[in-house]
């Protein structure tokens, strides 16, 4: 007996739903992001930049903001991915209203308004608080290493620069001399008005690399002559090899040490240690409210040390929401005497792991080390006394899911932009999209 199947007529003409709201089911994230941008976010910082009349009107800024935020919430980060989704995915069409901006328009909009897009984090965070998602009872802090838009193989140490520069310079000089000899021979053979004197590509590449090495070498030497404030994380010396444990390092001649490095693709990025080796990247730091895993503050720096981030992350919570958390937890990277004193001054109960004794270090030696730091010693005793009932246990269960959702579920492991200011803006958008998802789940 013949089998009966549902019709599959690919040539049948169809009409799309008469309303964009029918493109995806009610309660879909596309509706939530679009309506939140239209009704709840203040976009005046972006809208006010459109002043002059144009022959062909630009895309509505609200639509572009909604497209970016929805894309980030769905793991679509590159402008090409977003442009392709505008043509292929009905959920994205429900956000854009069938507009199809090309990838250059999306990339230019994000670059032009990155500061204003970063500021949306605070607006979304306040919406989360209004929805009851932030309780200020316990906040956990941590950092994660994310790859820069650059390869660590494109970095070069100052010592290697010193040896590579004269070698490349000699090669370039020899090639220029050969080119001049070839020009003279060609002029004699073909006449002075004939072409044939263009710089060959194989020589131009060496010249460009020599110029890049000289520029990077000069930047490291300028940094050695005028070292940045160690508290200024934006300074290029934050983790370029010019410092060790906060102390400046210099070569025997007073210049940069040979170990100082600089990346040619993204000079602001640094080589950072991770569990899986080393990456050329940045350190994205966040503080997360334990109630619903909402990111209440974020920060991005160029070094792997986390201890300087504790006070700024805690103070930003109060700056954003007008209230400080009652408890803060963090791993050993945040634990030092100064941070514990800062939390005590602010009336915040801290749970910062003092760290374990190094391999082979006797318990007595570890005890003597802690007795020189009374706050750290008291913290170690408190955590040991509470055992598995300590509030410190909240740290991992609050932070690990957030980093897992960002890096695994939504696949964000590498920045698209270059330069510290641009990357900080991109990190802010990642945190904003995370909070939007939490807000959407609360309303569902």
């Amino acid at each position: 007996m013949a089998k009966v199947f549902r019709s599959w007529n690919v040539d049948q003409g169809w009409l799309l739903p008469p309303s964009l709201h029918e493109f995806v089911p009610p309660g879909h994230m596309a509706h939530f992001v679009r309506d939140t941008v239209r009704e709840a976010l203040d976009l005046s910082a972006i809208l006010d930049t459109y002043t002059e009349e144009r022959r062909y009107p630009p895309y509505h800024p609200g639509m572009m903001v909604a497209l970016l935020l929805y894309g980030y919430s769905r793991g679509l980060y590159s402008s090409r991915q977003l442009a392709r989704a505008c043509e292929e995915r009905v959920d994205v069409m429900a956000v854009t209203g069938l507009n199809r901006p090309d990838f250059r328009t999306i990339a230019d909009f994000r670059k032009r308004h990155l500061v204003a897009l970063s500021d949306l984090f605070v607006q979304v965070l306040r919406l989360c608080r209004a929805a009851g998602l932030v309780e200020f009872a316990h906040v956990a802090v941590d950092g994660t290493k994310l790859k820069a838009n650059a390869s660590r193989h494109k970095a070069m140490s100052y010592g290697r620069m010193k040896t590579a520069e004269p070698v490349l310079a000699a090669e370039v000089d020899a090639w220029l001399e050969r080119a001049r000899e070839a020009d003279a021979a060609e002029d004699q053979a073909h006449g002075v008005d004939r072409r044939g004197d263009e710089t060959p590509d194989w020589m131009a590449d060496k010249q460009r690399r020599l110029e890049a090495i000289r520029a990077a070498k000069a930047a490291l030497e300028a940094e050695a002559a005028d070292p940045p404030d160690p508290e200024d994380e934006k300074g290029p010396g934050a983790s370029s090899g010019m410092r060790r444990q906060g102390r400046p390092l210099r070569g025997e001649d007073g210049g940069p040490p040979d170990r100082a490095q600089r990346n040619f693709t993204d000079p602001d990025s640094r080589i950072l240690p991770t569990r899986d080796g080393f990456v050329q990247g940045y350190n994205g730091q966040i503080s997360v409210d334990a109630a619903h895993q909402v990111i209440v503050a974020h920060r991005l720096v160029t070094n792997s040390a986390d201890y300087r981030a504790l006070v700024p992350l805690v103070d930003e919570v109060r700056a954003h929401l007008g209230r400080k958390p009652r408890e803060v937890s963090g791993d050993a990277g945040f634990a030092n005497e100064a941070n514990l004193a800062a939390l005590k001054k602010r009336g915040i109960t801290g749970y910062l792991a003092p760290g374990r004794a190094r391999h082979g270090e006797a318990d007595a030696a570890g005890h003597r080390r802690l007795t020189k730091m009374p706050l750290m010693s008291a913290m170690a005793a408190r955590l040991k006394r509470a055992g598995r009932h300590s509030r410190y246990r909240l740290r991992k269960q609050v932070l690990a899911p957030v980093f897992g959702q960002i890096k695994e579920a939504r696949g964000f492991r590498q920045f698209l932009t270059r330069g510290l200011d641009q990357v900080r803006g991109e990190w802010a958008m990642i945190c904003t999209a995370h909070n939007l998802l939490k807000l959407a789940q609360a309303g569902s």
Side-chain angles (χ1 to χ4, degrees), residues 202-249:
W202 52 266
M203 188 173 71
D205 289 339
K206 289 287 186 178
Q207 285 179 308
R208 283 193 293 268
R209 182 155 181 79
L210 177 59
E211 291 168 0
I213 289 175
R214 285 174 173 168
K217 185 166 173 277
L220 288 175
E221 290 169 350
E223 182 184 329
D226 186 17
D229 185 347
E231 297 298 325
D232 180 12
E233 297 291 354
K234 189 176 178 180
S239 62
S240 61
M242 301 287 281
R243 291 183 174 274
R244 178 179 293 163
Q245 297 179 347
R247 299 189 302 273
L249 292 177

Side-chain angles (χ1 to χ4, degrees), residues 93-170:
M93 295 177 191
V95 173
T96 63
L98 296 180
N99 283 296
R100 295 183 175 184
D102 62 37
F103 72 91
R104 291 184 183 86
T105 301
I106 298 171
D108 291 343
F109 181 88
R110 176 167 46 192
K111 183 178 180 180
R112 179 184 179 189
H113 301 291
L114 192 56
V115 174
L117 290 169
S118 304
D119 293 340
L120 295 179
F121 171 80
V122 178
Q123 294 190 44
V124 173
L125 177 59
R126 288 171 179 168
L127 292 176
C128 290
R129 183 190 182 184
L133 301 181
V134 181
E135 297 181 0
F136 302 97
H138 188 98
V139 166
V141 296
D142 203 358
T144 186
K145 311 302 188 302
L146 294 153
K147 292 181 180 179
N149 190 359
S151 169
R152 63 188 179 93
H153 300 295
K154 291 295 183 181
M156 183 180 287
S157 68
Y158 184 74
R160 189 179 167 201
M161 289 179 194
K162 290 192 296 186
T163 58
E165 181 186 5
V167 173
L168 275 176

Side-chain angles (χ1 to χ4, degrees), residues 236-419:
S239 62
S240 61
M242 301 287 281
R243 291 183 174 274
R244 178 179 293 163
Q245 297 179 347
R247 299 189 302 273
L249 292 177
R250 296 292 179 268
E252 294 181 358
D253 58 354
D258 288 346
R259 65 190 293 268
Q261 293 191 346
R262 193 168 180 86
N263 190 277
F264 297 124
T265 307
D266 184 357
D268 287 344
S269 65
R270 297 289 180 263
I271 294 180
L272 304 178
T274 69
R275 291 181 179 179
D276 301 321
F278 291 86
V279 298
Q280 187 79 35
Y282 294 91
N283 185 7
Q285 300 160 329
I286 55 174
S287 57
V288 180
D289 188 89
H292 296 276
Q293 296 176 352
V294 170
I295 299 174
V296 290
H298 63 82
R299 197 165 179 262
L300 186 133
V301 296
T302 59
N303 60 53
S304 58
D306 286 329
Y307 67 93
R308 290 191 190 129
L310 180 68
V311 173
L313 286 174
V314 171
D315 289 346
E316 278 190 23
V317 177
R318 184 162 192 167
H320 295 335
L321 302 175
R323 184 177 167 185
K324 64 184 180 183
R326 291 197 295 272
E327 299 175 352
V328 171
S329 63
D331 61 18
F334 294 91
N336 61 27
E337 198 77 357
N339 281 343
L340 290 173
L343 292 179
K344 184 177 180 180
K345 180 180 179 181
R346 289 162 173 77
I348 299 173
T349 303
Y351 295 93
L352 307 181
R356 299 177 180 177
R358 297 181 181 88
H359 181 68
E361 182 181 37
D363 290 341
H367 177 72
R368 286 196 300 271
R369 178 169 56 86
L370 283 179
T371 54
K372 298 179 181 179
M373 298 177 285
L375 295 178
M376 290 278 282
S377 179
M379 176 60 62
R382 182 198 300 172
L383 296 183
K384 184 177 181 180
R385 183 169 58 250
R388 63 186 179 88
H389 299 291
S390 172
R391 300 283 289 173
Y392 176 73
R393 66 182 173 81
L394 292 174
R395 183 193 66 83
K396 184 174 288 188
Q397 69 189 50
V398 170
L399 288 161
V402 175
F403 286 135
Q405 290 156 19
I406 291 173
K407 300 175 79 171
E408 296 293 338
R410 294 191 287 278
F412 188 84
R413 290 183 170 274
Q414 183 171 14
F415 290 103
L416 299 176
T417 56
R418 296 171 182 171

